[in-house]
Amino acid sequence: RVFVLREFLLEQYPSQMTEGCSVLDVAGGRGDLSFILRNFGGINSIIADPRTPNFRRLFKSVQFLLNYPEECELRAEENRPTHQPLARLLMQLQQSTNDANIDAPSYMRIYVDETLVEMLRSVISREEANLERWDEYWNGRRDSIEANSVHYGGTAPRDASSLSERCGNQIRDPRRALEALLGLDFVCGFHPDQATEAAVDLALLLKKPFAVVPCCVFPSEFPDRRLDGERVKTHVQLVEHLTRKHDKIKTATLPFIETDTAKNVVVYLLAEDV
């Protein structure tokens, strides 16, 4: 599904999905989307999630395909039942460069929520005291989150090199995190759950294009969320609530099968409409 979203992003955002551009992958979980954006496009995709990402499965898949090029070629063919989008991207990468250098994206362990958005809003006001408040906020949130040692997909490995391979480079310094957030070119989120609305609000605050694929609504956690006076309780209501935040926000249906736990409607704002 993240490969489908990648194709949508490449089509709709040619200027933001280019090498060197900076993307925030909100609630990116294991990190699959950021992994493919970084390694098959050179995009600086930063995962923002309280959990530590885990790229072990993707690294193993890449290594297998590199070790067995004939199998990689077969799996790259789209009309075969064994088609693997990762194999197709790897074949394209190898055709464009002799060195298929695969590495892990950066990440920050943070909740993308209303508090983060409001802290950034205060920093943008350019009051010097707000930078100190930002440092205090970031360090406090980071330390609280890091007290939980559980990684996405299990606990951290003991070996440090294995940890680096699995997780990527963490952005821990508050000023480096601030620079990364203020320097974004694009905000995206694939089923970002509780962070969905905050991802949209963050992009609008920064005046950046975005694309999010909402899924779960969590009405009990957002009791004040309203649409025409009624509480937002359904996915349809949530999508409508998000689109009303800006008159140029659009929706589209991604070409994969929708289920109760895997919605396929993308809510997005194009760069020219920001």
Side-chain angles (χ1 to χ4, degrees), residues 41-229:
I43 299 165
N44 178 31
S45 188
I46 304 167
I47 301 160
D49 195 299
R51 301 163 294 185
T52 302
N54 187 342
F55 306 106
R56 182 173 58 181
R57 180 183 62 85
L58 283 167
F59 274 117
K60 289 180 67 175
S61 295
V62 168
Q63 192 59 58
F64 172 83
L65 294 170
L66 290 175
N67 289 343
Y68 299 94
E70 292 183 358
E71 182 66 24
C72 181
E73 187 172 352
L74 288 174
R75 296 189 184 191
E77 296 182 19
E78 295 189 33
N79 60 340
R80 286 180 172 269
T82 56
H83 172 62
Q84 188 176 357
L86 183 64
R88 176 173 55 85
L89 293 179
L90 196 57
M91 289 288 294
Q92 292 173 355
L93 181 64
Q94 290 177 307
Q95 290 169 3
S96 62
T97 177
N98 292 326
D99 182 19
N101 184 26
I102 304 296
D103 59 3
S106 299
Y107 69 97
M108 50 179 71
R109 294 188 67 183
I110 195 68
Y111 290 101
V112 176
D113 56 13
E114 182 181 355
T115 304
L116 173 65
V117 174
E118 291 308 312
M119 285 301 307
L120 285 171
R121 193 186 308 278
S122 69
V123 170
I124 292 172
S125 71
R126 298 185 182 278
E127 295 181 16
E128 186 63 30
N130 289 336
L131 287 176
E132 295 181 4
R133 289 183 57 216
W134 168 264
D135 292 347
E136 182 180 354
Y137 156 78
W138 180 268
N139 289 331
R141 271 296 179 92
R142 180 203 62 209
D143 293 346
S144 174
I145 290 170
E146 288 181 359
N148 177 5
S149 61
V150 176
H151 288 43
Y152 196 101
T155 55
R158 295 179 181 179
D159 178 66
S161 61
S162 177
L163 177 63
S164 176
E165 179 182 273
R166 283 182 58 177
C167 303
N169 297 311
Q170 183 180 358
I171 299 174
R172 300 186 74 255
D173 180 77
R175 298 299 172 91
R176 185 183 169 208
L178 181 61
E179 180 182 14
L181 291 168
L182 295 181
L184 291 171
D185 298 296
F186 188 78
V187 176
C188 68
F190 184 75
H191 298 164
D193 291 340
Q194 293 98 325
T196 300
E197 185 170 5
V200 173
D201 291 341
L202 174 62
L204 294 176
L205 171 66
L206 299 176
K207 295 180 171 57
K208 300 298 179 183
F210 69 84
V212 298
V213 184
C215 194
C216 300
V217 181
F218 300 99
S220 63
E221 296 187 35
F222 299 95
D224 297 328
R225 188 183 280 162
R226 291 288 193 276
L227 180 68
D228 296 332

Side-chain angles (χ1 to χ4, degrees), residues 5 8-9 12-13 16-17 23-24 26 185-189 196-205 207-214 242-246 248-251 266-274:
L5 177 58
F8 175 85
L9 297 179
Q12 298 293 333
Y13 302 96
Q16 287 72 38
M17 295 295 125
V23 171
L24 190 69
V26 175
D185 298 296
F186 188 78
V187 176
C188 68
T196 300
E197 185 170 5
V200 173
D201 291 341
L202 174 62
L204 294 176
L205 171 66
K207 295 180 171 57
K208 300 298 179 183
F210 69 84
V212 298
V213 184
L242 296 175
T243 61
R244 293 189 185 185
K245 288 179 174 288
H246 190 290
K248 296 293 186 179
I249 292 178
K250 303 176 182 180
T251 63
V266 55
V267 179
Y268 65 104
L269 181 66
L270 297 174
E272 58 266 30
D273 293 331
V274 172

Side-chain angles (χ1 to χ4, degrees), residues 28-47:
R30 187 168 53 200
D32 291 5
L33 179 61
S34 285
F35 185 92
I36 61 176
L37 289 178
R38 176 177 179 83
N39 289 298
F40 305 103
I43 299 165
N44 178 31
S45 188
I46 304 167
I47 301 160

